[in-house]
């Protein structure tokens, strides 16, 4: 076959496969057999191998091959991806409707109701007909560029019949695929995903993009950005336009002429929730007329023209088969219930938290009891109480543990606290959990070091401390030889470990896992003392006087550095090249707001998180409530009651213009 014939054949095959992908992954109505699809794909791959110059960005073959990225680049959204305000009952919806009518001056409002897909929000940017960027929501202003992984989702077109478009939606995993993945992970002795949303998010952020294709992620698209610029007048029309462009939309949406019809829709799908092939956690209600959006407006975080009705947490009844303790990274003991298998919010649950010993005793929960279980925030299963009328005579009264379930050392409880603690610094579970925390994204951000890898390396005596992470290269051959591990995984892990050496000090301080020292507190402390040496020698008084630190945290930090093993570990980390200083913002005014406390309220030109991060990068503090300690209230449009409180307390109220003057002064 000459080049001209090959070119024509490739174009024909691409058109066929894209058509079949659309029928299968979007319409759920395949027109060819799997065998014919595979033959056609193989022919296309063969022709592209023979003529690599014919490979194009939108070729179906580009979805299949695996690519590995060392990291995901940040992507700044041109239009912020705002979150939605919540409604929990009919009264909340009626109040939303009244506000819309008041803001528009209209007596009747038409709404579009859509299912709230329980997945991961994404933004897709098309330029010159081709998918250029696929990004996660992130904090709404800045997300991650996951284009290489988005390309593997077959329901998302790589090329559209429109020159430029930004569209947003939700990546999700079907219930069937979720169950299939968890069965495979269980067989491989890997940690199970908690729910389909967790699995979808974990899959989309995989560094190996070939995994995405295997797990069959899908995506519903629902928001046409700047739709009115393209002559679209309503949200329902925008959905239809997206469908015409061959995006997968959720066809369960409905146009409702008033809030009463909205409530009917909510009740209908609350009842049908379990019958759907994907998870939903509520209903999104939007004003249908797009021309009203600017009149209705926005808060700093939410559009006022839309709201999310959240389904109430599902509560089920099952039996407690046993109660067992687990130990966390700080040594805190958490009690859990082993349950008879039960399905909650689309997930099979066999265990739930009972929090601590006092909770079990106060609730008088016993082994053998029939109990009510719910998912906190639809994520973590928890026992909320037992059914006295169903208590069996054989229900066994529970006794709290006296020794650690892992190292068997005696547990301790501090006076005035409900939690028990394992204080053995050599407890294996404390060590592995501490290492997981140290490597976590908000701490040292070391990728490629999963819970399973940590436990393997710990059991092989390669990894017993934080500093051991930075010495793993001497076990190169042994680690590469581990099951499900290879040279590429090893190099990714080592690169990530070495990259973490340059982190600013607050990352390390948080990673050490000092009790009561969270992310924000770590930043406040490191900003004050600047070096690890100064923190190690800091007195209780010096720590306790830092805004938002206080005596409990100060005691915890001082006690941590009284222990010789902890000081020695920090010294060893320093010797291994880990940065021990605070990196202030590159802004020359990094201390401009030191000892200033801001409260941010109302609608500003950018999301509140932008101003919060800017203030904190310059040494300032932010708070959600106005008090006598507040220096300034930064107020935008519709500031609410915080202005009134600020006036009563004689706290200075500034506009965004005033704030910018402060920045530039």
């Amino acid at each position: 076959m000459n080049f001209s014939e090959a070119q024509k054949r490739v174009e024909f095959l691409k058109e066929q496969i894209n058509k079949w992908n659309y029928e299968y992954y979007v319409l759920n109505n395949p027109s060819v057999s799997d065998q014919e699809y595979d033959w056609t794909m193989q022919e296309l791959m063969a022709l592209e191998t023979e003529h690599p110059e014919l490979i194009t960005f939108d070729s179906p073959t580009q979805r299949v091959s695996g690519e590995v990225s060392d990291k995901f680049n940040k992507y700044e959204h041109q239009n912020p991806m705002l979150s939605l305000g919540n409604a929990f009952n009919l009264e909340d919806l009626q109040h939303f409707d009244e506000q819309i009518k008041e803001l528009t001056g209209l007596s009747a409002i038409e709404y579009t109701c859509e299912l709230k897909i329980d997945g991961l929000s994404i933004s897709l940017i098309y330029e010159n007909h081709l998918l250029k960027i696929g990004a996660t929501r992130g904090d709404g202003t800045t997300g991650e560029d996951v284009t290489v992984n988005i390309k593997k989702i077959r329901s998302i077109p790589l090329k559209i019949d429109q020159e430029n478009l930004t569209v947003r939606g939700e990546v999700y995993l079907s219930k069937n695929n979720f169950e299939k993945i968890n069965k495979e992970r269980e067989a491989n002795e890997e940690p199970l995903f908690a729910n389909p949303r967790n699995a979808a998010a974990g899959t989309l952020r995989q560094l190996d993009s070939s995994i995405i294709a295997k797990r069959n992620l899908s995506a519903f698209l629902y928001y046409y950005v700047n739709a009115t610029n393209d002559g679209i007048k309503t949200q329902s029309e925008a959905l239809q336009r997206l469908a015409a462009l061959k995006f997968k939309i959720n066809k369960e949406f409905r146009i409702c002429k008033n809030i009463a019809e909205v409530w009917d829709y909510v009740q209908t799908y609350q009842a049908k929730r379990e019958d759907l092939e994907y998870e939903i956690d509520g209903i999104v209600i939007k004003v249908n007329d797009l021309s009203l959006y600017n009149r209705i407006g926005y808060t700093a975080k939410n559009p006022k023209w839309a709201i999310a009705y959240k389904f109430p947490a599902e509560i089920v009844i099952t039996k407690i088969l046993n109660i067992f303790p687990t130990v966390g990274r700080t040594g805190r003991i958490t009690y859990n219930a082993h349950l008879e298998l039960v399905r909650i919010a689309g997930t099979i649950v066999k265990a739930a938290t009972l929090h601590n010993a006092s909770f079990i005793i106060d609730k008088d929960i016993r082994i053998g009891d029939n109990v009510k279980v719910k998912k906190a925030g639809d994520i973590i299963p928890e026992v909320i109480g037992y059914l006295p009328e169903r208590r069996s005579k054989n229900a066994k009264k529970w006794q709290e543990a006296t020794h650690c379930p892992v190292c068997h050392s005696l547990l301790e409880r501090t006076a005035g606290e409900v939690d028990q603690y394992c204080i053995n610094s050599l407890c294996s579970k404390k060590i592995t959990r501490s290492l997981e925390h140290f490597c976590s994204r908000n701490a040292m951000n070391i990728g490629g070091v999963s819970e399973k890898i940590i436990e393997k390396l710990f059991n092989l005596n390669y990894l017993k401390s934080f500093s051991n992470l930075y010495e793993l290269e001497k076990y190169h051959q042994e680690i590469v030889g581990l099951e499900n591990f290879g040279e590429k995984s090893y190099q990714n892990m080592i690169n990530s470990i070495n990259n973490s050496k340059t982190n600013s000090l607050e990352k390390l301080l948080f990673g050490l896992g000092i009790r009561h020292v969270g992310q924000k507190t770590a930043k406040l402390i490191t900003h004050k003392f600047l070096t690890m040496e100064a923190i190690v020698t800091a007195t209780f008084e010096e720590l306790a006087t830092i805004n938002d630190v206080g005596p409990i945290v100060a005691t915890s930090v001082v006690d941590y550095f009284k222990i010789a093993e902890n000081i020695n570990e920090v010294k060893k980390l320093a010797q291994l090249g880990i940065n021990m200083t605070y990196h202030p913002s590159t802004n020359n005014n990094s201390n401009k707001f030191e000892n200033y406390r801001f409260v941010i309220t109302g609608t500003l030109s950018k999301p509140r998180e932008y101003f919060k991060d800017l203030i904190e990068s310059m040494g300032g503090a932010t708070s959600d409530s106005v008090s006598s300690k507040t220096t300034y209230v930064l107020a935008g449009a519709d500031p609410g009651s915080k202005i009134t409180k600020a006036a009563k307390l004689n706290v200075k109220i500034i506009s965004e213009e005033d704030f910018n003057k402060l920045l530039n002064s």
Side-chain angles (χ1 to χ4, degrees):
M1 186 181 295
N2 62 37
F3 179 80
S4 177
E5 291 171 334
Q7 188 175 28
K8 289 178 183 177
R9 183 63 180 168
V10 163
E11 287 303 316
F12 172 76
L13 295 174
K14 281 164 51 177
E15 187 177 336
Q16 279 293 96
I17 293 171
N18 283 330
K19 173 178 176 287
W20 294 339
N21 278 338
Y22 176 68
E23 291 170 346
Y24 187 92
Y25 293 103
V26 178
L27 302 181
N28 199 25
N29 185 27
S31 63
V32 294
S33 67
D34 290 348
Q35 188 178 42
E36 185 175 352
Y37 180 94
D38 291 341
W39 286 342
T40 308
M41 179 66 82
Q42 286 167 13
E43 182 185 354
L44 177 59
M45 291 172 74
L47 284 170
E48 288 183 343
T49 301
E50 186 178 347
H51 302 282
E53 64 272 31
L54 293 178
I55 299 174
T56 59
F57 180 89
D58 63 319
S59 173
T61 61
Q62 299 307 292
R63 297 185 189 272
V64 179
S65 58
E67 296 180 47
V68 176
S69 171
D70 290 332
K71 63 178 183 178
F72 294 115
N73 293 324
K74 299 298 180 189
Y75 177 78
E76 190 164 333
H77 299 293
Q78 297 303 305
N79 302 88
M81 292 183 72
L82 302 178
S83 57
L84 295 179
N86 292 327
F88 299 96
N89 49 49
L90 175 58
E91 289 72 26
D92 289 345
L93 291 177
Q94 290 170 334
H95 178 65
F96 168 72
D97 183 50
E98 288 164 7
Q99 283 187 315
I100 298 296
K101 289 174 179 174
E102 185 178 334
L103 289 166
T104 60
L106 300 174
S107 59
I109 298 290
E110 185 176 80
Y111 297 100
T112 301
C113 288
E114 302 167 49
L115 302 185
K116 188 173 181 296
I117 309 301
D118 200 9
L120 182 73
S121 296
I122 56 161
S123 181
L124 307 176
I125 296 89
Y126 289 82
E127 292 183 6
N128 296 321
H129 302 281
L130 299 177
L131 175 63
K132 183 181 180 183
I133 296 288
T136 62
R137 179 182 182 276
D139 62 7
T141 303
T142 306
E144 290 177 312
D145 182 344
V146 290
T147 311
V148 69
N149 288 350
I150 289 288
K151 285 168 60 179
K152 303 299 180 283
I153 302 175
R154 290 183 174 89
S155 61
I156 293 177
L158 301 179
K159 185 177 183 180
I160 60 172
D161 190 21
Q162 182 165 314
E163 190 169 0
N164 299 311
L165 174 68
T166 298
V167 60
R168 290 170 180 171
E170 203 84 0
V171 170
Y172 72 94
L173 191 65
S174 71
K175 293 175 182 176
N176 285 340
N177 283 328
F178 171 70
E179 298 291 351
K180 190 186 300 181
I181 290 167
N182 262 353
K183 282 178 183 176
E184 290 173 0
R185 293 177 73 84
E186 191 169 25
N188 294 329
E189 297 183 349
E190 294 175 324
L192 302 186
F193 287 119
N195 50 51
R197 178 178 67 247
N198 175 275
T203 299
L204 194 61
R205 296 192 72 257
Q206 283 283 338
L207 293 181
D208 184 351
S209 62
S210 64
I211 294 174
I212 285 81
K214 292 176 187 173
R215 289 186 178 170
N216 289 321
L217 288 180
S218 192
F220 284 123
L221 284 303
Y222 53 72
Y223 183 51
Y224 189 126
V225 178
N226 297 325
T228 53
N229 293 347
D230 292 336
I232 297 171
K233 296 181 179 179
T234 64
Q235 169 63 9
S236 54
E237 186 185 338
L239 290 171
Q240 298 290 8
R241 179 76 66 89
L242 292 176
L245 290 169
K246 297 191 175 179
F247 288 101
K248 185 175 184 177
I249 67 164
N250 191 292
K251 295 181 179 178
E252 305 292 330
F253 77 89
R254 183 186 300 171
I255 300 169
C256 298
K257 297 194 178 299
N258 51 52
I259 211 69
E261 288 189 11
V262 168
W263 184 242
D264 286 342
Y265 181 90
V266 166
Q267 291 179 304
T268 297
Y269 280 93
Q270 190 165 318
K272 291 172 66 173
R273 181 182 183 185
E274 290 303 312
D275 299 328
L276 298 170
E277 63 176 22
Y278 43 82
E279 292 287 349
I280 63 171
D281 59 358
I283 304 295
V284 175
I285 300 102
K286 301 172 187 171
V287 171
N288 197 30
D289 186 346
L290 302 182
S291 69
L292 298 175
Y293 284 13
N294 285 335
R295 197 192 312 180
I296 296 167
Y298 303 78
T299 69
K301 291 184 179 179
N302 320 118
K304 292 182 181 179
W305 40 262
I307 198 165
Y309 177 87
K310 299 299 288 289
F311 291 143
E314 185 179 352
I315 297 175
V316 299
I317 296 169
T318 187
K319 182 181 283 188
I320 289 185
L321 303 177
N322 198 8
I323 295 174
F324 61 96
T326 56
V327 59
R329 63 180 173 84
T330 63
R332 185 166 69 91
I333 300 298
T334 299
Y335 288 95
N336 305 276
H338 178 205
L339 305 170
E340 279 189 350
L341 293 184
V342 65
R343 188 178 183 90
I344 311 177
T347 306
I348 299 297
V349 172
K350 57 184 176 183
T353 182
L354 286 161
H355 305 292
N356 50 54
S358 295
F359 177 87
I360 301 169
I361 293 166
D362 292 346
K363 297 280 188 182
D364 189 27
I365 294 170
R366 304 182 186 183
I367 297 169
D369 272 344
N370 285 285
V371 292
K372 292 182 284 186
V373 180
K374 76 168 185 178
K375 279 194 173 182
D378 273 354
I379 298 174
I380 304 167
E382 64 174 327
V383 175
I384 58 175
Y386 82 101
L387 282 69
E389 67 278 10
R390 294 198 190 181
R391 171 165 283 171
S392 163
K393 292 179 181 179
N394 298 322
K396 183 181 174 184
K397 199 153 187 174
W398 171 83
Q399 295 291 324
E400 73 175 13
T402 56
H403 292 76
C404 174
V406 177
C407 70
H408 310 297
S409 59
L410 191 67
L411 298 177
E412 291 195 6
R413 181 184 278 117
T414 304
E417 293 193 6
V418 297
D419 289 314
Q420 297 169 283
Y421 283 85
C422 169
I423 61 166
N424 175 16
S425 61
L426 299 177
C427 175
S428 62
K429 185 55 72 173
K430 279 178 65 175
I431 294 170
T432 55
R433 288 285 171 86
S434 294
L435 286 162
E436 287 171 40
H437 171 72
F438 186 86
C439 295
S440 65
R441 190 178 178 191
N442 292 326
M444 295 299 278
N445 193 22
I446 298 173
V449 191
S450 65
E451 177 187 355
K452 189 175 179 182
I453 291 296
I454 287 171
E455 289 182 353
K456 277 186 179 180
L457 298 178
F458 178 87
N459 292 332
L460 290 167
N461 290 319
Y462 301 162
L463 184 57
K464 296 288 187 179
S465 64
F466 304 140
S467 56
N468 287 161
L469 278 162
Y470 300 92
E471 302 171 312
L472 287 177
E473 286 181 90
K474 62 187 178 186
Y475 302 112
H476 179 180
Q477 294 305 321
E478 293 90 337
I479 294 173
V480 169
L482 294 175
E483 187 181 356
N484 296 325
F485 217 81
E487 186 64 40
K488 189 168 275 188
S489 298
Y490 170 82
Q491 287 300 335
N492 285 335
M493 178 180 75
I494 293 299
N495 289 342
S496 188
I497 289 170
N498 288 333
N499 289 340
S500 75
K501 289 182 177 182
T502 59
N503 286 339
S504 184
L505 180 57
E506 71 271 15
K507 292 272 193 180
L508 175 60
L509 186 64
F510 177 56
L512 293 177
I514 301 171
R515 207 171 155 204
H516 303 304
V517 176
Q519 264 184 281
K520 184 176 180 180
T521 307
K523 191 165 187 177
L524 290 170
I525 293 171
T526 52
H527 180 267
K528 171 72 175 176
F529 292 100
L530 301 180
T531 68
M532 181 62 85
E533 185 181 2
I535 296 169
V536 169
T537 57
T539 65
F540 169 85
E541 289 75 20
E542 288 173 326
L543 287 158
T545 53
I546 301 173
N547 278 337
D548 291 335
V549 173
I552 293 175
V553 174
T555 300
S556 187
V557 173
V558 169
D559 286 349
Y560 183 86
F561 290 116
K562 279 181 182 176
I563 299 169
E565 291 93 332
N566 294 338
I567 293 177
N568 290 336
E569 179 66 0
V570 168
K571 285 180 179 176
K572 190 170 181 184
L573 287 167
Q575 290 165 3
L576 288 164
I578 286 74
N579 172 61
M580 293 286 160
T581 60
Y582 172 67
H583 293 164
S585 165
T586 52
N587 190 311
N588 292 329
N589 298 317
S590 59
N591 293 316
K592 178 182 283 290
F593 292 144
E594 188 169 11
N595 300 321
Y596 286 24
R597 182 185 291 265
F598 288 78
V599 171
I600 305 167
T601 184
T603 304
L604 298 160
S605 65
K606 295 181 180 177
R608 281 185 206 175
E609 287 301 315
Y610 167 83
F611 293 96
K612 181 180 176 183
D613 289 345
L614 184 58
I615 289 163
E616 290 178 358
S617 75
M618 295 186 177
T622 58
S623 175
D624 291 329
S625 57
V626 181
S627 72
S628 58
K629 293 182 179 179
T630 305
T631 312
Y632 294 113
V633 171
L634 170 56
D638 301 322
S641 61
K642 290 176 184 176
I643 290 292
T644 307
K645 188 167 184 182
K648 284 182 181 177
L649 295 172
N650 292 318
V651 173
K652 188 167 183 180
I653 300 164
I654 61 173
S655 66
E656 189 172 338
E657 184 181 354
D658 297 327
F659 178 78
N660 289 330
K661 287 178 183 176
L662 271 179
L663 282 177
N664 297 320
S665 64

